Amino acid sequence: MSYYVDIATSVGESAKEQAALVREAFQLCLNIMQMSRKYSKPSPLEMAKIMQPLSFKLFEIAEVANRNKSHIFYQPLLTISDSVSILSWINMSCSAIFVKDVENATKVSANSTTQMYRESMPLYAEWMRAWLRVIGSLRELVCDFYPVGLIWQPSGFAQPPPAPPRISAPMHLELNSDGASITSNTSSRPEWKRKDGGKIFNRDALLNDIVRTRLVHLKHVEGFSYES
């Protein structure tokens, strides 16, 4: 991919712009692949939403070619914009067949361009060869590891994990007159009791801990045990 982007940058601004969009499209595809390692297979509606950014990016890539129909390298731009649809394999069950078909069609178009510019504009010819290597590498990846489509985790999460819960205000606690225990003003709330032979009750340490965390996450205060 890096070599293709470098060559496209040398070709001109339109080729450079398209190459940058192509790189972004590949990154979006990679993001979906990484999701599949953590989550279970989404529903068709959910998958359509996941695919939207990639679909929009493919449209942007095609627009670069459409804006340059009168340019000398319109045909190479068109070849790339047509064949970058190979990234759609990520939402197909027959992905190996699909990527092979796209690669074969790309070779026909790219080889024609390569022959046309091989002597007069060798940089353009190398541009197409670099793109064919990108397509070939992706075809190898899909055929070797995802021949029947993306593999989602059967025991993965059905949706992204929820945001961490909000920290609620600390419970109102009262200190008994004997200083030996702390109880809430509700009988159902937990109680802290001094252990036999325990050390002096450290009230400041306990209250600071209550302020910082929920009661269920209270740290152990030396000399006391927690009883429900």
Side-chain angles (χ1 to χ4, degrees), residues 134-153:
V134 172
I135 294 294
S137 296
L138 181 57
R139 186 260 307 155
E140 290 179 2
L141 172 70
V142 173
C143 290
D144 289 347
F145 298 101
Y146 306 99
V148 291
L150 197 60
I151 302 172
W152 296 82
Q153 298 303 309

Side-chain angles (χ1 to χ4, degrees), residues 173 175 178-182 192-195 197-212 218-225:
L173 302 179
L175 180 65
D178 61 0
S181 66
I182 289 184
W192 285 82
K193 294 182 179 179
R194 186 186 301 275
K195 289 181 179 178
K199 297 181 180 180
I200 298 175
F201 172 57
N202 188 342
R203 184 181 65 178
D204 291 339
L206 177 61
L207 293 180
N208 287 337
D209 211 0
I210 293 173
V211 171
R212 289 195 305 269
L218 284 174
K219 299 176 182 177
H220 173 69
V221 179
E222 189 173 7
F224 288 81
S225 62

Side-chain angles (χ1 to χ4, degrees), residues 1 6 12 38 44 62 67 76 78 82 99 117 130 136 140 152-153 160 170 173-174 185 187 200 220-221 223 225 227:
M1 174 62 73
D6 290 342
K38 296 175 59 178
R67 293 198 311 265
L78 182 62
D82 286 346
V99 295
Y117 295 119
E140 290 179 2
W152 296 82
Q153 298 303 309
L173 302 179
E174 296 177 350
N185 55 2
S187 59
I200 298 175
H220 173 69
V221 179
S225 62
E227 297 179 3

Side-chain angles (χ1 to χ4, degrees), residues 6-7 19 30 46 72 84 87 93 136 169-170 197 199-201 210 218:
D6 290 342
I7 294 295
L30 177 60
E46 291 170 336
I72 188 173
V84 77
L87 294 177
S93 58
K199 297 181 180 180
I200 298 175
F201 172 57
I210 293 173
L218 284 174

Side-chain angles (χ1 to χ4, degrees), residues 11 45 88 112 154 210 224:
V11 169
L45 181 59
S88 298
S112 175
I210 293 173
F224 288 81

